């Protein structure tokens, strides 16, 4: 379903293999930071963790994810996250930019040297605000910041643009996205900025 931020969530039926195909586009973006299938990630997003209040981190072996609750960001818990991430030699972080920024700030305050060995930070599911870019860059100085933009309907995929920072380039191999101006008129000039309009999925 969609998030429902504009009203009631909309249920969308998808092809069985749609998620697998989307993962290929995601991995292409992550590969820009050196990520390869099988590499482990520290994940700070709303995923299931057993008995989260007692132990807000959990290793998911099938996906090679160290799941860290983004809702338990006290110094005590973040110290446990940092210790386990370093113990497992994890070099990639994936999750809400708000949670990653808070965690990065803790690592700086705690003078955790491990943060300098992080190679990729993959913010998702929230907007990347202008103040979060410098905060994440300072916390993880040797990491590439690679946010991407997707939709629950899986009809468009925005990859991080090289310039300017914080913008996305829609991948035409994934789907078509029409951009319109503030008055709803289609944008046809190359490089013009706008907002998404009606979307449709590309053929397989």
């Amino acid at each position: 379903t969609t998030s429902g931020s504009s009203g009631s969530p909309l249920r969308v039926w998808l092809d069985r293999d749609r998620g697998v195909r989307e993962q290929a586009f995601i991995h292409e973006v992550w590969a820009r930071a050196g990520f390869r299938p099988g590499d482990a990630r520290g994940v700070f997003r709303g995923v299931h963790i057993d008995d989260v209040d007692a132990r807000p981190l959990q290793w998911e072996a099938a996906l090679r994810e160290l799941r860290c609750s983004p809702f338990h960001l006290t110094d005590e818990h973040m110290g446990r996250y940092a210790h386990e991430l370093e113990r497992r030699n994890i070099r990639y972080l994936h999750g809400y930019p708000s949670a990653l920024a808070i965690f990065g700030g803790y690592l700086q305050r705690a003078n955790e040297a491990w943060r300098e060995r992080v190679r990729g930070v993959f913010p998702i599911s929230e907007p990347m605000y202008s103040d979060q870019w410098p905060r994440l860059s300072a916390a993880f100085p040797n990491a590439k910041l690679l946010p991407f933009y997707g939709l629950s309907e899986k009809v468009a995929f925005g990859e991080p643009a090289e310039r300017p920072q914080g913008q996305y380039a829609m991948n035409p191999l994934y789907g078509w996205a029409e951009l319109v101006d503030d008055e709803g008129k289609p944008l046809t000039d190359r490089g013009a900025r706008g907002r998404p309009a009606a979307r449709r999925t590309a053929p397989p």
Side-chain angles (χ1 to χ4, degrees), residues 15-27 154:
D15 298 339
R16 286 183 182 272
D17 66 344
R18 190 69 182 181
V20 176
R21 284 187 280 160
E22 181 183 55
Q23 201 66 24
F25 288 87
I26 294 172
H27 275 236
K154 302 190 188 303

Side-chain angles (χ1 to χ4, degrees), residues 43-54:
V43 175
F44 290 75
R45 56 187 302 234
V47 292
H48 177 75
I49 298 175
D50 297 327
D51 199 10
V52 66
D53 289 327

Side-chain angles (χ1 to χ4, degrees), residues 162-173:
E162 292 293 329
R163 294 286 185 276
Q165 190 180 69
Q167 293 189 21
Y168 299 94
M170 307 310 291
N171 190 318
L173 298 178

Side-chain angles (χ1 to χ4, degrees), residues 22 25-26 28-29 32 123-124 146-151 155-161 167-172 174-175 177:
E22 181 183 55
F25 288 87
I26 294 172
E28 190 278 326
V29 171
R32 301 177 196 178
I124 47 92
L146 295 169
F148 65 87
Y149 173 80
L151 296 160
V155 293
F157 186 83
E159 302 177 353
Q167 293 189 21
Y168 299 94
M170 307 310 291
N171 190 318
Y174 186 99

Side-chain angles (χ1 to χ4, degrees), residues 10 23 30 35 44 56 77 79 84 90 94 103 109 118 127 134 142 144 149 163 167 174 176 182 186 198-199:
L10 173 70
Q23 201 66 24
W30 292 351
F35 182 89
F44 290 75
H77 290 315
E84 191 65 12
I90 292 176
H94 174 204
F103 180 59
R109 292 196 315 273
V118 174
N142 298 313
K144 283 195 174 183
Y149 173 80
R163 294 286 185 276
Q167 293 189 21
Y174 186 99
W176 288 285
D182 292 337
R199 304 175 184 90

Side-chain angles (χ1 to χ4, degrees), residues 59-186:
W59 174 248
E60 170 53 60
L63 299 176
R64 294 190 55 74
E65 294 179 349
L66 180 66
R67 296 178 171 179
C68 305
S69 170
F71 309 112
H72 294 72
L73 296 175
T74 64
D75 281 6
E76 178 185 359
H77 290 315
M78 289 191 289
R80 295 168 67 186
Y81 299 163
H83 173 77
E84 191 65 12
L85 287 162
E86 183 172 18
R87 188 182 75 82
R88 291 181 179 272
N89 198 32
I90 292 176
R91 296 287 180 266
Y92 302 97
L93 300 178
H94 174 204
Y96 303 142
S98 57
L100 293 171
I102 292 170
F103 180 59
Y106 163 79
L107 295 175
Q108 288 179 282
R109 292 196 315 273
N111 199 26
E112 291 275 1
W114 165 81
R115 67 188 176 88
E116 297 183 3
R117 298 199 293 274
V118 174
R119 297 181 61 192
V121 176
F122 312 136
I124 47 92
S125 299
E126 291 178 346
M128 274 283 286
Y129 294 108
S130 58
D131 69 306
Q132 292 171 335
W133 285 92
R135 290 169 62 191
L136 289 170
S137 295
F140 306 103
N142 298 313
K144 283 195 174 183
L145 301 183
L146 295 169
F148 65 87
Y149 173 80
L151 296 160
S152 299
E153 301 91 337
K154 302 190 188 303
V155 293
F157 186 83
E159 302 177 353
E162 292 293 329
R163 294 286 185 276
Q165 190 180 69
Q167 293 189 21
Y168 299 94
M170 307 310 291
N171 190 318
L173 298 178
Y174 186 99
W176 288 285
E178 180 184 21
L179 296 181
V180 297
D181 62 18
D182 292 337
E183 298 177 357
K185 296 178 182 177

